[in-house]
Amino acid sequence: MFTDHIEEIRAAIAGHPAGKTFILSELLGDRWEVIGQDPRPQKVGEKFSEAVDKGMFPGVEFDHVQRSPRVSVYKKVR
């Protein structure tokens, strides 16, 4: 479940440089194979997007949707 991985995602974000964009699967690297399948990649992406909107990841904001593959891109602003 997404909530089981929030601290791990926060740690990955903390190691990402401010001002740079990221795609969740790329940010998590090899861990995406575990986290992204819980329960399926699209659902994890939706839950992350909702969590960003609710302020659960301070300093992270939605940036844009990449077209191919279609994924959300986020930016660490601080």
Side-chain angles (χ1 to χ4, degrees):
M1 188 102 313
F2 175 79
T3 54
D4 296 338
H5 305 290
I6 288 177
E7 292 308 315
E8 188 171 358
I9 295 169
R10 282 189 177 134
I13 291 168
H16 191 73
K20 299 288 184 177
T21 59
F22 65 89
I23 296 168
L24 185 59
S25 61
E26 292 175 356
L27 178 75
L28 296 172
D30 293 341
R31 291 298 296 155
W32 180 250
E33 293 302 317
V34 175
I35 297 171
Q37 306 312 312
D38 192 9
R40 59 188 174 82
Q42 294 84 357
K43 191 59 142 176
V44 173
E46 290 168 11
K47 292 293 184 185
F48 182 71
S49 180
E50 290 171 8
V52 168
D53 288 345
K54 291 178 181 176
M56 292 178 65
F57 296 97
V60 174
E61 61 185 33
F62 173 79
D63 192 69
H64 67 279
V65 173
Q66 177 178 292
R67 288 184 165 209
S68 182
R70 190 177 191 289
V71 292
S72 294
V73 179
Y74 297 88
K75 186 172 189 176
K76 181 177 176 184
V77 294
R78 54 186 158 116

